Each structure stands twice: as structure tokens, then as C-alpha cells.
Amino acid sequence: MLPGDVKGFPQYGFSLRLDDFRLGFRDNGTVDQYYSDVTVLRPGGEEWSDTMWVNNPLKVDRVDFYQTSYGWANSLSILGPEGEEENTLLRNGESYFYQPGHLTVYLYGYFPNMALTSMGEPITMTEQEINPYYAVILYEFGNHVASEILEPGQEYQFKDFTLAFNDSQLYTGITYRRDFGYIFVVLGSLLMTLGLVFSFYFYPKHILVEENSVRTITRQNTWGFEYQVRQLVQQSVEKEE
Amino acid sequence: MDLVYFEELMFTIAFGGYTLSSILFFIFVAMKKERVGKAAIGLAMAGFGIHTLAIVLRVIESGRLPFTNQFEFATSFAWGIVLCYLVLHFAYRFTGVGAFVMPMAFLVMGYASMLPKEIKPLMPALQSSWLYIHVGTAVVSYGSFAVAAGLAAMYLIGERQKASGDGRTVLPKSEVCDYLSYRVIAFGYLMLTLVIVTGAIWAKYAWSRYWAWDPKETWSLITWLIYSVYIHLRFNRGWKGKPAAWFAVIGFISVIFTFIGVNNILPSIHSYR
């Protein structure tokens, strides 16, 4: 979803609008957290807003919403010789086929803070838009014709056509689930853990005291129990002496 | 000089302590001199105290428990091994056990010393309280399995000595090693169960699913199944002795692969470097 998008969930009786998707940055430019500001819209006009982040999914009624991916949606415009314009959104690794020119525009990547590796490969240092560039590859009739690095808004002329990447927006991928099993998973886990604790540590133990003998009876940890009892007996004998 | 310097210094001293302690334990087992055994225990305790201090310094520096990358887990793992060993020592006073457990702490510390030690901020998926219970139980669980594997190795060596007719030994009786190994495995198994359960519930919050057959998850399950078979056979078939000891060793190999092998050979969303 892009900021402003609304996704309806008629089966659950509400819609979800993404108000904003933003990244929280640390001082060194790395991503600290991903935030989605959303508004839940109900048919009666009732609405409420909340913010999701990783480890903090949104719960609406019994439906859980999670952020599961993100990326840049980049707006491409192509101007033909007659002034006709086509606009589309491309994500990294996607291509657009421009029919009038038999031209395929392949967006190798949008690099918001671009640098080049020693091999000449473009990479982004951070997700902050400090030094943004687009790496674009053009094919005509399926044949490679150009590879370019473009600034935002920079026009590139190929024959009679002009193309430019004007803007980039962060999008977020949202997954939703209605999970009836959660309570069973938690209860099952608790039961299994308690079962292990009881079987390992609260098993039946008996001490059989007869004249001149003390015996231990247990199915589990027979040596350990006998050792403990022997120590106790020894201590009490030492005390008496 | 800042805290990082002192943390690294304490880590190195603790590593040295564990190394010397391992050597002394070997000498104790070979020469059967009580004084050497006491010195080995003393060094292990001193190393543990200094190691704890190194961890505390790292906690102060980073503002969180050291559970978030390979170095931090390795140093915590070594700490968990020594903790489990010392608990066992003070409960039963079998000095010879150290000869089989402290070298493992030494090896894990050696592995930790080769890893990058810088403190990195928590990545978004790790920013959760579940981290502490999930990884904390893993540290204790893995530490227990290491001690159990040491005890199992002692059992196997004890049996060999018995067969060769060498009666003079400072190692506990084979029967004792067998039982202690089982008890420690039972505790480690309980902790490993908690590791898997808390990890699954946390994954539901962070990634929207309980289980994804990620290599780390799969190998944790394999380890859990190995120890499940061990415990099941012990409970219901009265399994003990040599096969049980070998099973404890195989289980620990699986633990090591889950920790080191998976991180380096099968990278996944759990590979926090």
C-alpha cells in the first residue's frame, strides 16, 4: 500500500487506510524501525487511527495486520513525439513496456543515497534520500540500447521519446491474518512446559525406613534421590555423633 | 579508556582463566592431585566472576542484554556452560567433571574471541521483550547440553577405563555420570522447549507466523527431537549407559551445528552477525 491507499475488508466490516509509512533512522543512517500510520474506517463513519511497527501488529476486531515488506514506488513518465504522456509506478527490478516506441524501461534500482562499489555497481548507503539516483536500462525491440544513472526529474532523450523518474514514495506490504489458534498455541505451550516440569521435578518419591536400613523408591532420578537421602542420613549421623 | 576497553580486557582475562582451568583439570585427572583440582575449580570460578563482569560492562555499554549477534551469544553460551558446571559442582562436588566441561567453555570462548565484538543497535525485529526470554533460555539450555555432553564423554571414558582394568581414577563412577548427564539433559530440554515455544509466539508478533522452516528453526527442532527421543527412551525403555551417552554427545553436536553451522553455512533471518 502507498500512503493514501484504502483497502476494504467487507467480510470483516471495515476498511484500512494507510496514512503514512515512514522509517525511523538512527544517527548513523541505519533503520531503527518501520512505522505505518493507519486509520480504520467503519461504514457508519466511525474511524480511529493507530501506528504499527515491527513487533507491534495492529489488531482490528479479530484480524491482525503486520508490516511484512517495504520498498520504493518510483513514478516514471514517458513523453512521446506528439506530446502524449504515459505515467506509471515502477518498483526496483520492474520494467515497463512503452508500446509506441517498442521500448522497455527496466528500473534496475532506485538508490536513495547512492554510492558505487569498487566494481562500479550502484548501491545505497542508507534509505535516507540524501543522494538519490535511478539506475535504468533501456531495451528496444528486446535489444539493449542504453544503461543510465538518472537524477530525480532528469530527462533522458532516446530517439523521439523523453523519459524521466520524477518522484519516489515508500510503500509497505501489509499481511493480515485472522488466527483463531493463538489461544490454543499459548495454552498448548503452557501445558507442555508444565507437563515437563511435573514429570522432571515433581515425580513420586518414597523413602522406606526399616530397622538398620533406609531405602529410596522412585522411578525417576534414582541415583540422585538416593544420593540426597544418603547425604541427609550422613549429616544426621554426624550431628548425633 | 572507556568501558569497551575494560570489557575486552575482562573477556581476555576470563578466556585465560578458562584456558588455565582446563589445563589444570587435565593435570588433575592425569596426576590425581587434590590440590591441582582445587586450583582448577578456583580458576574456573575466578574466570566466571570476571566473565560476568565483562558481560555486565557490555550490558552497561549497550543498554541491553548481550543476546543479539554471534559474539554476544557465544560469550553468553560460554558463560552458561560455566554457570551450569559450577552449579553441578557445588551440588555434587565431582571435581573431575571440569576436565570435560571447561574445555568446551574454552572452545566457545575461543570462537567468540574470533568474532567482531562491536556493539550494534538492535534491528527492528529484535526490539522486543521476547528477546530476553527466548535467547536467555537458549543460553541456559545450550550450556546444560554442553555439560551433559561432558558428563557423557566421562561416562564413555570411565567405561573404557573399567574395561582396561585401570582402577585408579578421580572421575566419578560411570553410573553417576550417566544419571547426572540425564538430569542435566532434562533441564536443558525443558529450557530448549521454552526457547522454541517463546520463539514461535514472538515470531507471530514480529513476522506474522509461528513457524517458517527457517534453517535455525528447523535445526532447533531437530535438536529438540534428538533429545525428545533420548528422554522418551530413558523414561519408557529404561535406556541408559553407552547408547544414552552417545545420544547425549550427538545431541550436543546438533546444538553446535544449530548455533555455529547454521549461522555460517545456512544463512537465514536468524543469522545475526
Side-chain angles (χ1 to χ4, degrees):
Chain A
M1 291 174 82
L2 284 163
D5 284 356
V6 178
K7 168 78 183 158
F9 298 94
Q11 69 274 38
Y12 304 133
F14 64 85
S15 299
L16 193 73
R17 184 179 68 218
L18 179 69
D19 297 323
D20 194 15
F21 174 65
R22 57 204 161 81
L23 308 182
F25 291 102
R26 302 187 187 99
D27 293 342
N28 64 0
T30 56
V31 177
D32 179 49
Q33 191 51 271
Y34 306 93
Y35 300 98
S36 290
D37 299 320
V38 292
T39 299
V40 178
L41 310 163
R42 296 204 187 265
E46 183 199 344
E47 59 179 70
W48 57 274
S49 299
D50 207 340
T51 299
M52 300 157 62
W53 61 88
V54 181
N55 280 308
N56 182 46
L58 173 75
K59 198 172 188 71
V60 185
D61 299 337
R62 284 182 175 173
V63 187
D64 294 316
F65 291 88
Y66 303 85
Q67 299 176 125
T68 46
S69 64
Y70 83 100
W72 293 95
N74 310 289
S75 79
L76 164 71
S77 71
I78 303 177
L79 196 65
E82 310 293 323
E84 70 279 15
E85 191 175 346
E86 285 190 20
N87 292 294
T88 188
L89 284 175
L90 283 185
R91 292 184 296 182
N92 288 359
E94 285 186 342
S95 55
Y96 178 70
F97 180 64
Y98 180 61
Q99 177 74 35
H102 297 283
L103 202 64
T104 301
V105 181
Y106 173 67
L107 177 63
Y108 179 78
Y110 169 60
F111 303 96
N113 186 12
M114 197 188 83
L116 291 175
T117 65
S118 56
M119 305 292 288
E121 278 283 310
I123 53 164
T124 190
M125 302 301 286
T126 66
E127 291 293 343
Q128 291 162 306
E129 291 185 282
I130 295 170
N131 184 33
Y133 282 97
Y134 299 89
V136 187
I137 302 173
L138 294 184
Y139 298 91
E140 188 184 32
F141 293 105
N143 298 314
H144 175 254
V145 286
S147 296
E148 294 296 329
I149 300 282
L150 303 176
E151 286 179 39
Q154 182 187 344
E155 293 183 342
Y156 178 73
Q157 192 79 30
F158 179 74
K159 293 188 176 171
D160 293 338
F161 309 103
T162 307
L163 65 91
F165 281 94
N166 299 311
D167 186 25
S168 294
Q169 263 185 303
L170 279 168
Y171 68 82
T172 177
I174 290 179
T175 298
Y176 64 97
R177 280 179 203 280
R178 200 170 191 193
D179 183 5
F180 293 104
Y182 181 72
I183 190 72
F184 296 107
V185 169
V186 172
L187 283 176
S189 303
L190 205 63
L191 202 64
M192 184 163 69
T193 310
L194 281 176
L196 289 174
V197 169
F198 278 103
S199 65
F200 290 154
Y201 300 105
F202 296 96
Y203 46 86
K205 291 179 265 192
H206 305 279
I207 303 173
L208 201 66
V209 182
E210 291 170 331
E211 205 177 335
N212 292 328
S213 84
V214 176
R215 280 196 295 146
T216 55
I217 302 170
T218 179
R219 259 197 80 194
Q220 276 235 32
N221 190 28
T222 46
W223 177 85
F225 186 43
E226 195 187 311
Y227 177 84
Q228 284 174 332
V229 172
R230 208 185 309 129
Q231 296 280 96
L232 279 173
V233 171
Q234 204 174 326
Q235 278 171 14
S236 76
V237 169
E238 278 169 8
K239 258 187 196 171
E240 275 184 24
E241 281 172 0
Chain B
M1 282 188 286
D2 55 8
L3 283 179
V4 179
Y5 171 80
F6 285 110
E7 185 221 327
E8 292 207 4
L9 182 68
M10 294 298 127
F11 176 86
T12 310
I13 295 172
F15 185 23
Y18 292 163
T19 311
L20 280 176
S21 169
S22 304
I23 294 167
L24 286 183
F25 273 120
F26 277 127
I27 296 173
F28 168 69
V29 170
M31 299 176 65
K32 305 171 183 70
K33 291 217 163 122
E34 200 58 40
R35 268 198 354 219
V36 179
K38 279 187 180 160
I41 292 277
L43 267 173
M45 282 168 59
F48 181 72
I50 293 166
H51 193 181
T52 308
L53 190 59
I55 289 174
V56 169
L57 288 175
R58 194 169 182 94
V59 170
I60 295 169
E61 280 168 66
S62 61
R64 54 174 168 73
L65 290 175
F67 291 163
T68 61
N69 59 31
Q70 280 220 64
F71 165 75
E72 292 185 350
F73 189 81
T75 186
S76 300
F77 180 14
W79 184 86
I81 293 173
V82 184
L83 172 71
C84 291
Y85 165 63
L86 290 176
V87 168
L88 196 77
H89 173 76
F90 285 108
Y92 297 103
R93 303 271 172 190
F94 295 130
T95 310
V97 176
F100 294 83
V101 177
M102 287 310 293
M104 289 198 221
F106 155 74
L107 287 175
V108 177
M109 282 293 267
Y111 175 66
S113 70
M114 293 187 294
L115 296 167
K117 297 183 182 64
E118 82 247 47
I119 293 173
K120 288 183 185 165
L122 278 183
M123 53 190 291
L126 296 182
Q127 294 170 20
S128 166
S129 310
W130 285 103
L131 171 74
Y132 302 117
I133 183 161
H134 177 61
V135 188
T137 45
V139 165
V140 180
S141 163
Y142 284 18
S144 305
F145 290 140
V147 172
L151 286 161
M154 267 174 82
Y155 172 88
L156 293 169
I157 289 170
E159 284 296 288
R160 184 169 283 190
Q161 279 184 343
K162 220 191 271 177
S164 66
D166 182 4
R168 282 188 66 239
T169 179
V170 289
L171 303 180
K173 283 182 187 164
S174 301
E175 186 205 15
V176 175
C177 296
D178 183 53
Y179 271 112
L180 284 184
S181 174
Y182 156 63
R183 293 299 289 169
V184 177
I185 283 179
F187 177 70
Y189 180 76
L190 174 64
M191 291 292 122
L192 183 62
T193 305
L194 281 175
V195 174
I196 293 174
V197 161
T198 54
I201 295 173
W202 181 14
K204 157 100 169 112
Y205 282 99
W207 298 318
S208 81
R209 81 290 179 282
Y210 300 102
W211 196 265
W213 297 105
D214 162 88
K216 186 73 111 187
E217 293 171 359
T218 308
W219 273 94
S220 297
L221 180 66
I222 290 169
T223 306
W224 188 82
L225 287 173
I226 290 172
Y227 285 112
S228 299
V229 169
Y230 173 95
I231 283 170
H232 175 76
L233 292 172
R234 188 121 198 169
F235 262 46
N236 297 308
R237 293 276 176 270
W239 227 45
K240 51 187 184 177
K242 216 169 179 179
W246 278 114
F247 231 92
V249 172
I250 291 167
F252 187 62
I253 291 169
S254 177
V255 167
I256 291 294
F257 186 77
T258 306
F259 170 45
I260 298 172
V262 170
N263 279 354
N264 294 299
I265 303 169
L266 306 167
S268 70
I269 46 172
H270 275 94
S271 303
Y272 303 112
R273 283 159 195 279

